Amino acid sequence: MATDYIVGIDLGTTNSLVAYMQGDSPVVIPGEDGLSLVPSVVALDEKNQIIVGNAARKYLIETPERAVYSVKRLMGRGVEDIQQELKFFPFRLADDMQAGEVLRIKVGDRTYTPPEISAHILRQLKRNAERFFGGPVTRAVVTVPAYFNDAQRQATKDAGRIAGLDVLRLVNEPTAASLAYGLDKKKNGIIAVYDLGGGTFDISILKLHDGIFEVIATNGDTHLGGDDIDNLLIMIALDDIQGDLKLDVRRNGEAVARIRKAVIEAKIALSSQPFTKLDVELPGGQRYQREITREAFEELIAPVIQRTVAPSTQALKDSGLKPEQIDEVVLVGGSTRIPKVRQLVEKLFGRTPHIDLNPDEVVALGAAVQAHILGGGSDITKEMLLLDVTPLSLGIEVAGGVTDKIILRNSTVPASATQHYTTQVDGQTNVAIHVLQGERELARDCRSLARFDLKGIPPMVAGIPRIEVKFLIDANGILQVSAREQRSGQEAQIEVQPSYGLTDEQVESMLLESYDYAEEDFRQRQVIEARHEAETILGALAKGKKNQAWRNLSSDERRHIETLERALVTVKEGGDYHAIRKGIDVLNEATTHLAEMMMDTAVSTALKGKTMDESDLGEGPQTGHPVGKAEFE
Ligand code: ADP
Ligand code: MG
């Protein structure tokens, strides 16, 4: 069999799969055990060897401290983001974890980052595919939830790289599911993708125009899925066991694990038959049995599936569409095999959902379709272009040498985005626009793409000009940047070619760097931003002291403000951003009264957008990088 296939991978929270294009249709690739679904579980065995998938599941029960599941929840996230997850999942973080650091999870006596754990899952899928093809597999398309942010997407790509896979494209899961059904061939329409998996519920509304998918709304619940159904059944079993067998096994991990296995089997059986039998052998040798009818099951789970209604309605509302405007409904996720769930979806959207493909395979199948298109297997070259994404973020340098991203990497092109800025200095007539590419926080660490000046802004008080910077990438990947001062109508623009001449290796090393330096960058950025804010408030105070309002303050008040002013000037030079922020806060508070008294005079004139008299202008430089508008509002 020919090798060098580009495979499609669904890297799921509960299960992962790999698929490829066989002739005209995508098919999933089985593992050695004949099963294509690889549970997203990674464990360390007694010899500290990594075990993945079905074989790893027994470690979840026997030595839970040596196994990890649901790691997708931690991808691209920091300690501060995952407090909620820690309440639900027994993730054990490395003991020496610091805020702002890439997470490290304890497995046995080792620690791994989430991308490393995901890489083990990807490696398993890669091995399955290589065994199947009898040759190497090095390139893949990997799917991610539509709501994944830049960091989560990057972490997914990192996982691919660690696994030795060149991730050619990240595709949104709902887009992949639609591709699997060939909905792109319809060219236009609105698609609702309802995805109820193991532990997450996602609803996405996609707009298909000329064969391009655009995600117009997403919603969901990150803690809702088949696991909730399992837990309800487990509760019932535990109550029964306590009542009938006079046994309390709630704290017996092994017993609960066996019950979990049995209830999942029962749940799956009930999707295709009217009743089933729960049968569990408890660790002490006693046996628990119970019959469950589909009717009783449906009644039990009604509240769980009902929880998908509000997010679905909200997504529809956000998309500005009515249910009757939805053309197609696609079901994704193993839990949509439950007949009651299908009925609910049909009622929600007034459409019979597509069910021809296996809901737990459909995302991987769609990834295989996309892989095929990328590999040139499809002759619709136009489509390939249109489905393209920007490999790196694009933005501009703002005051303090910081990068402000305007279009995030992996955005589908064509793309456009607009941000608003203002000036930093009174009377500033020129604004320097420095266009940057890259993921780093500081401008000097990013790739400089172009520079131009927006000139001829009429002199105004700092913070008053309204500078709109617009980025537009066309389908050929050509970037156009324009800047316009909206009060005066002054404008300037430039065209740049962002990825021209940039090799994959460069992109790779930039990504690696951003990974290595993320933490240090973040700290430096915090200091720079705090310093910048300190300068702004000190500048405003200096101006305020020339105002009549200053002389109207009591001498005590003036002395108090000046003490805090001196303190801020001192800490501002240091590298401790906490101290700077504190200094800003106290000075801000102490000057509230002054600011209020000044409101009627100079500031209010300025706020009306009047240009300044030459005599009012500061003596600072007349040109500089823009600053975020929010800081002045
Ligand atoms: P994820 O996208 O979260 O990785 P999947 O789409 O693979 O997850 O869905 C896994 C969930 O689907 C599990 O809770 C599993 O028990 C459930 N599931 C799988 N098959 C069935 C079935 N026939 N009936 C009901 N639930 C099912
Ligand atoms: Mg899924």
Side-chain angles (χ1 to χ4, degrees):
M1 197 178 286
T3 59
D4 206 23
Y5 271 102
I6 308 175
V7 294
I9 291 178
D10 171 7
L11 186 58
T13 311
T14 318
N15 295 303
S16 299
L17 289 99
V18 55
Y20 84 112
M21 201 72 165
Q22 189 179 62
D24 282 341
S25 41
V27 291
V28 292
I29 297 173
E32 218 162 355
D33 54 6
L35 304 172
S36 53
L37 227 57
V38 174
S40 306
V41 183
V42 174
L44 269 183
D45 73 4
E46 307 70 34
K47 291 187 226 111
N48 270 347
Q49 305 239 39
I50 293 276
I51 312 287
V52 178
N54 275 309
R57 280 221 293 225
K58 72 170 193 179
Y59 293 86
L60 278 179
I61 302 171
E62 291 166 9
T63 48
E65 70 289 350
R66 301 180 71 83
V68 188
Y69 66 103
S70 272
V71 73
K72 188 172 178 177
R73 297 176 177 280
L74 306 184
M75 293 287 275
R77 311 187 72 191
V79 192
E80 47 304 335
D81 312 321
I82 60 155
Q83 291 313 309
Q84 192 64 15
E85 300 295 347
L86 292 179
K87 286 186 203 142
F88 287 89
F89 292 89
F91 293 120
R92 293 164 304 278
L93 301 184
D95 302 324
D96 55 346
M97 285 265 359
Q98 310 281 317
E101 213 182 4
V102 175
L103 289 179
R104 273 175 297 118
I105 304 153
K106 243 206 258 184
V107 190
D109 49 12
R110 302 192 172 180
T111 65
Y112 298 94
T113 63
E116 283 174 304
I117 293 173
S118 292
H120 285 302
I121 300 167
L122 290 174
R123 250 189 227 119
Q124 180 66 47
L125 298 170
K126 181 179 189 289
R127 269 198 298 271
N128 288 354
E130 290 177 336
R131 191 182 139 272
F132 181 82
F133 293 130
V137 171
T138 54
R139 296 180 298 166
V141 166
V142 179
T143 58
V144 289
Y147 60 80
F148 253 27
N149 66 23
D150 195 49
Q152 292 169 299
R153 285 168 195 263
Q154 178 162 337
T156 307
K157 264 203 143 178
D158 290 340
R161 202 179 50 229
I162 299 167
L165 279 172
D166 186 7
V167 179
L168 300 183
R169 181 72 53 89
L170 296 174
V171 182
N172 290 326
E173 288 164 10
T175 303
S178 306
L179 277 173
Y181 276 109
L183 298 181
D184 52 315
K185 302 206 173 68
K186 295 193 57 181
K187 296 287 173 205
N188 292 297
I190 303 288
I191 308 163
V193 182
Y194 178 105
D195 180 349
L196 190 61
T200 56
F201 168 62
D202 299 319
I203 178 82
S204 318
I205 311 288
L206 307 185
K207 185 173 172 190
L208 176 66
H209 44 95
D210 300 327
I212 311 167
F213 292 98
E214 187 188 345
V215 181
I216 52 176
T218 64
N219 211 299
D221 187 331
T222 51
H223 294 106
L224 175 62
D227 296 346
D228 295 284
I229 294 172
D230 306 345
N231 290 338
L232 282 177
L233 291 167
I234 293 170
M235 296 290 209
I236 292 187
L238 287 171
D239 282 349
D240 279 358
I241 292 168
Q242 186 153 42
D244 304 349
L245 306 178
K246 306 282 171 249
L247 268 182
D248 185 1
V249 292
R250 264 161 236 273
R251 264 165 212 89
N252 182 334
E254 162 99 47
V256 174
R258 286 191 196 179
I259 296 169
R260 183 179 300 277
K261 188 161 175 279
V263 301
I264 293 173
E265 281 165 12
K267 170 183 81 170
I268 290 174
L270 285 172
S271 285
S272 55
Q273 56 196 56
F275 65 88
T276 191
K277 201 162 165 189
L278 249 183
D279 189 349
V280 192
E281 194 183 306
L282 296 166
Q286 270 178 294
R287 200 155 182 165
Y288 163 65
Q289 288 176 303
R290 180 191 170 124
E291 285 227 344
I292 311 174
T293 63
R294 187 189 276 174
E295 215 181 335
F297 173 72
E298 288 180 346
E299 199 174 311
L300 176 75
I301 65 165
V304 173
I305 64 176
Q306 196 59 32
R307 282 171 59 201
T308 66
V309 174
S312 302
T313 330
Q314 188 60 45
L316 259 183
K317 205 169 148 208
D318 293 346
S319 70
L321 297 167
K322 297 199 168 51
E324 49 278 18
Q325 286 173 280
I326 304 284
D327 301 302
E328 310 277 345
V329 180
V330 173
L331 288 182
V332 180
S335 301
T336 63
R337 281 217 170 88
I338 299 172
K340 198 74 187 166
V341 173
R342 296 192 171 174
Q343 288 161 22
L344 177 85
V345 177
E346 191 157 345
K347 213 171 94 209
L348 263 176
F349 298 103
R351 281 265 173 290
T352 315
H354 288 276
I355 50 166
D356 299 340
L357 300 173
N358 284 333
D360 35 20
E361 293 180 355
V362 63
V363 168
L365 296 175
V369 173
Q370 175 70 37
H372 185 65
I373 296 173
L374 282 177
S378 156
D379 46 24
I380 329 166
T381 40
K382 191 163 146 266
E383 190 174 19
M384 290 171 54
L385 253 184
L386 292 176
L387 279 168
D388 223 344
V389 293
T390 56
L392 293 163
S393 300
L394 297 160
I396 62 165
E397 175 172 353
V398 291
V402 169
T403 316
D404 198 34
K405 291 174 189 159
I406 296 182
I407 292 182
L408 294 183
R409 86 191 181 86
N410 277 330
S411 300
T412 313
V413 300
S416 76
T418 305
Q419 294 272 17
H420 289 100
Y421 302 91
T422 188
T423 50
Q424 191 181 14
V425 185
D426 287 348
Q428 187 176 323
T429 51
N430 289 351
V431 175
I433 306 289
H434 183 195
V435 184
L436 302 165
Q437 180 181 41
E439 310 312 310
R440 302 285 300 272
E441 301 281 357
L442 302 183
R444 62 157 196 260
D445 297 322
C446 286
R447 185 166 193 253
S448 168
L449 293 180
R451 289 173 191 272
F452 66 99
D453 284 344
L454 172 60
K455 293 183 186 148
I457 302 171
M460 284 181 256
V461 174
I464 296 305
R466 203 177 141 78
I467 300 156
E468 184 182 85
V469 174
K470 186 167 181 187
F471 273 48
L472 194 144
I473 312 178
D474 69 14
N476 297 313
I478 295 171
L479 171 69
Q480 192 165 329
V481 180
S482 60
R484 181 181 150 92
E485 198 290 300
Q486 291 178 307
R487 291 180 199 278
S488 61
Q490 283 297 325
E491 58 187 338
Q493 56 184 30
I494 199 163
E495 209 173 76
V496 276
Q497 195 137 22
S499 51
Y500 186 72
L502 194 66
T503 64
D504 282 350
E505 283 78 5
Q506 281 172 304
V507 172
E508 190 90 337
S509 77
M510 287 170 95
L511 289 175
L512 268 175
E513 265 182 24
S514 75
Y515 196 75
D516 290 347
Y517 296 120
E519 209 188 319
E520 195 198 327
D521 269 12
F522 185 63
R523 229 175 284 131
Q524 280 197 42
R525 181 178 181 138
Q526 282 177 317
V527 174
I528 289 177
E529 283 181 348
R531 248 183 223 155
H532 174 66
E533 216 174 287
E535 268 154 26
T536 307
I537 181 175
L538 288 169
L541 177 58
K543 229 192 285 176
K545 283 162 104 176
K546 297 197 188 102
N547 193 286
Q548 180 59 39
W550 173 254
R551 288 183 288 277
N552 291 347
L553 293 180
S554 71
S555 60
D556 272 356
E557 209 169 342
R558 284 198 303 255
R559 209 172 313 130
H560 178 57
I561 291 174
E562 286 185 321
T563 311
L564 296 176
E565 181 188 17
R566 277 192 300 274
L568 182 57
V569 168
T570 314
V571 292
K572 175 172 81 76
E573 297 314 319
D576 181 353
Y577 88 93
H578 282 295
I580 307 176
R581 289 257 170 235
K582 183 95 195 97
I584 293 169
D585 283 351
V586 290
L587 185 58
N588 243 334
E589 203 183 307
T591 53
T592 319
H593 184 206
L594 172 65
E596 279 164 6
M597 296 208 300
M598 284 169 64
M599 268 324 261
D600 305 326
T601 59
V603 176
S604 67
T605 336
L607 285 175
K608 285 185 193 118
K610 287 193 183 151
T611 55
M612 299 176 78
D613 277 346
E614 292 294 330
S615 58
D616 285 346
L617 297 182
E619 287 142 26
Q622 303 290 288
T623 188
H625 290 293
V627 288
K629 185 71 182 154
E631 290 181 44
F632 286 87
E633 277 170 352

